[in-house]
Amino acid sequence: MRVAVLTDSTAYLPRELAAEYGVHVVPLYVVLAGRSGREGEDISSEDVAKALSSRGQRVSTSRPTPGDFVAAYRGALEAGADRLVSVHLSAELSGTWDAARVAASQVGEHIVSVVDSRSAAMGTGFAVLEAARAAAGGADRDEVDRIAREAAARTRTLFVVDTLEHLRRGGRIGSAAAVLGSALAVKPVLHVVDGRVVPLEKVRTSARALGRLVQHVVDHAGEREVSLAVHHLAAADRADRLVTELRERVPRLRELYVSELGAAIGAHVGPGALGVVISAGPDAPEEPAAVPEGDDDRTG
């Protein structure tokens, strides 16, 4: 039995890895500057950053349709797969998982297993990667499904933003807090917990926020073997410096990937955002649940 692994474009899995393991990527839709298209195909990260930096321009996203997933599932089956595992962005943040679940019911739930990663970006991507490696090694659908869920639970996603304005527009903080935060140069360090974005701490200045981001990564990694992914939007130089520091300070670094964010996540964090996803080994505990603060928009 051959198992194929699918995901959506918000996993931001490096293209070479997706190609190496035959991962099928279903894109979200993006609307900006009077045009719409598929994330990562018709509309690039550069397009998104430019639109977000322009006064009065808005970027919006929508989930893939169930029909998009049906087409992807049937395509994977026609290419030789017998069973499918579809791993997606947290259902707390997007309707993408729900669209995939509807499609799975049409193709056959005995064929397609849909996994809510309860994470975002490479928090999803690392689960996809481990699942795809297991599938390539001959694991059956149930085993690939289990590996994906456990891998996602072992990730931790942290990020900092350059401005609070995009979070305000997304409903994650109020207007008064955004104005006050900008005036006081407050920079939140955020993380994904139990599928939702919640504040971790607030600090003064971007330099301090970046330093705290690195320290949280170092503390969480400890002496364990970990893989890391660094994300950014229109901040390649800062991402390179972050990579250098992480390589120096994380003692047992297995893999490190760099991936620019696209529209679906970028629309909420804005240009200048930096994030790190930590993927710990199988002996690592799951992240504890937390009660989210404030209201959160769903992506797509």
Side-chain angles (χ1 to χ4, degrees):
M1 181 183 298
R2 178 174 174 266
V3 179
V5 177
L6 300 91
T7 189
D8 60 76
S9 56
T10 68
Y12 304 122
L13 192 68
R15 289 182 181 273
E16 62 273 15
L17 287 178
E20 180 181 354
Y21 291 101
V23 175
H24 304 253
V25 179
V26 180
L28 273 71
Y29 292 98
V30 185
V31 179
L32 58 82
R35 65 189 179 102
S36 63
R38 295 165 294 181
E39 179 181 34
E41 296 182 15
D42 306 313
I43 295 179
S44 67
S45 299
E46 183 179 359
D47 294 331
V48 174
K50 183 177 180 180
L52 291 171
S53 299
S54 301
R55 182 179 295 275
Q57 292 237 4
R58 298 293 298 272
V59 177
S60 62
T61 64
S62 60
R63 69 183 189 178
T65 66
D68 292 332
F69 281 112
V70 168
Y73 295 159
R74 289 178 176 165
L77 293 170
E78 290 170 2
D82 300 302
R83 296 290 187 271
L84 311 175
V85 175
S86 197
V87 186
H88 299 290
L89 171 69
S90 170
E92 296 282 352
L93 300 174
S94 171
T96 300
W97 171 86
D98 190 57
R101 184 185 57 79
V102 171
S105 70
Q106 297 176 20
V107 174
E109 293 180 343
H110 64 292
I111 294 174
V112 186
S113 175
V114 181
V115 176
D116 177 359
S117 74
R118 302 187 69 78
S119 190
M122 276 293 287
T124 303
F126 278 122
V128 171
L129 185 57
E130 290 200 32
R133 285 170 171 164
D140 63 20
R141 192 197 72 165
D142 289 346
E143 180 71 1
V144 173
D145 177 286
R146 180 188 65 79
I147 287 170
R149 294 177 191 275
E150 292 181 355
R154 294 194 308 270
T155 65
R156 188 173 188 194
T157 301
L158 307 104
F159 59 101
V160 298
V161 296
D162 197 44
T163 173
L164 295 169
E165 177 61 19
H166 302 291
L167 290 169
R168 183 195 66 79
R169 291 178 183 175
R172 288 176 169 82
I173 57 173
S175 298
V179 172
L180 182 61
S182 297
L184 298 177
V186 171
K187 304 294 183 181
V189 180
L190 305 121
H191 61 159
V192 178
V193 178
D194 201 23
R196 303 189 73 180
V197 175
V198 298
L200 180 58
E201 65 175 307
K202 295 178 183 178
V203 298
R204 300 286 294 273
T205 78
S206 295
R208 175 67 174 163
L210 188 57
R212 293 300 299 149
L213 175 65
V214 170
Q215 191 59 53
H216 281 298
V217 173
V218 171
D219 291 345
H220 187 73
E223 296 299 320
R224 297 176 299 178
E225 186 177 62
V226 297
S227 294
L228 301 177
V230 170
H231 291 299
H232 72 93
L233 181 61
D237 290 345
R238 293 173 68 203
D240 286 345
R241 292 195 295 272
L242 179 57
V243 165
T244 298
E245 188 165 1
L246 290 172
R247 287 191 183 280
E248 291 173 350
R249 296 190 58 188
V250 177
R252 299 185 63 195
L253 182 57
R254 183 171 60 240
E255 303 167 298
L256 193 154
Y257 304 107
V258 180
S259 179
E260 189 164 18
L261 297 170
I265 303 298
H268 295 287
V269 297
L274 286 169
V276 181
V277 179
I278 312 160
S279 174
D283 59 337
E286 295 185 10
E287 281 297 298
V291 177
E293 299 179 15
D295 296 327
D296 291 289
D297 274 2
R298 284 155 61 90
T299 299

